[in-house]
Amino acid sequence: MKLIGSHTSPYARKVRIVLAEKKIEYDFVVDSPWANDSKVPDYNPLGKIPVLMLDDDTALFDSRVIVEYIDNVTPNNKLFPAPNRERIEVKRWEALADGLCDAAVAALLEGKRPVTLEGNDWISRQHDKISRSLEFMAEELGDKSFCMGTHISMADIAVGTALGYLSFRFPDIAWQAAHANLAKLYDKLMQRPAFADTVPHD
């Protein structure tokens, strides 16, 4: 398999972590959809990363689709539970974490544009989403070892990826100080090679 993505994309990192946790070998092709010569639109009409190219040249896109596919094709280290209420809770965690990343990416991109009142309002709205998401995550996590209790799941990978992206792009958001339980979870996740080996960088 071939994964098309970048070292800065939180969505690509999430897929890379899952591939590592599942011990699946793949080729990582670095390509940014923002580059003028990007090949990403050739594989994904939405022009977004990551894209997972299967051995039969089928292109899978959207990180949530990709990670569910990966978890289904190998029986080891299951990250999603069987279809039931618990699975829905895991997917809710993932949706929340991805939404936090969406807000962070939107704020980052708007911050690169010329400063306007409308732009500042937009950035402020995104930061409000980030703050509310962090508070919700911290409350839901409570004193549990992992998002779903005693074992790692896709929920933790998604949350860890989102927290890592905040540390990378918005170090001024002191989420570790505000939410000690999230910081404890992230430190635990960073001890895993799948996380340590995929830290985002420019």
Side-chain angles (χ1 to χ4, degrees), residues 10-190:
Y11 315 103
R13 185 188 185 196
K14 183 174 69 169
V15 173
R16 293 171 68 201
I17 290 170
V18 170
L19 286 164
E21 290 286 345
K22 303 288 283 188
K23 297 178 172 49
I24 295 176
E25 293 187 3
Y26 65 99
D27 294 322
F28 187 44
V29 178
V30 177
D31 191 349
S32 169
W34 301 104
N36 292 331
D37 59 349
S38 175
K39 302 297 184 186
V40 173
D42 296 341
Y43 304 107
N44 178 359
L46 298 173
K48 294 181 177 182
I49 53 175
V51 181
L52 183 69
M53 299 299 299
L54 305 183
D55 292 338
D56 63 0
D57 289 333
T58 298
L60 299 182
F61 37 84
D62 187 280
S63 63
R64 278 180 264 189
V65 173
I66 295 172
V67 296
E68 190 161 357
Y69 169 81
I70 295 168
D71 198 46
N72 285 338
V73 295
T74 54
N76 63 309
N77 304 332
K78 293 296 286 184
L79 298 170
F80 286 99
N84 55 22
R85 173 67 181 269
E86 185 181 355
R87 185 183 185 90
I88 293 300
E89 290 179 12
V90 168
K91 292 177 77 69
R92 183 180 73 150
W93 273 105
E94 186 182 11
L96 177 64
D98 282 2
L100 189 158
C101 288
D102 292 344
V105 169
L108 179 74
L109 294 177
E110 185 62 34
K112 294 181 178 180
R113 293 159 56 95
V115 177
T116 65
L117 182 60
E118 293 82 2
N120 285 338
D121 287 344
W122 174 258
I123 291 174
S124 179
R125 284 197 297 274
Q126 305 313 313
H127 278 274
D128 285 344
K129 293 179 186 178
I130 292 170
S131 295
R132 290 195 302 271
S133 297
L134 288 169
E135 289 170 4
F136 188 89
M137 285 176 176
E139 184 176 346
E140 290 287 303
L141 178 61
D143 60 359
K144 298 194 296 288
S145 297
F146 292 101
C147 293
M148 296 302 294
T150 60
H151 58 281
I152 190 170
S153 72
M154 192 62 232
D156 304 287
I157 292 175
V159 168
T161 300
L163 296 176
Y165 188 72
L166 285 185
S167 294
F168 173 53
R169 290 301 195 194
F170 295 96
D172 55 313
I173 298 178
W175 60 267
Q176 297 96 327
H179 306 293
N181 60 342
L182 293 180
K184 183 178 179 180
L185 173 64
Y186 188 70
D187 289 345
K188 185 176 355 182
L189 292 172
M190 280 298 294

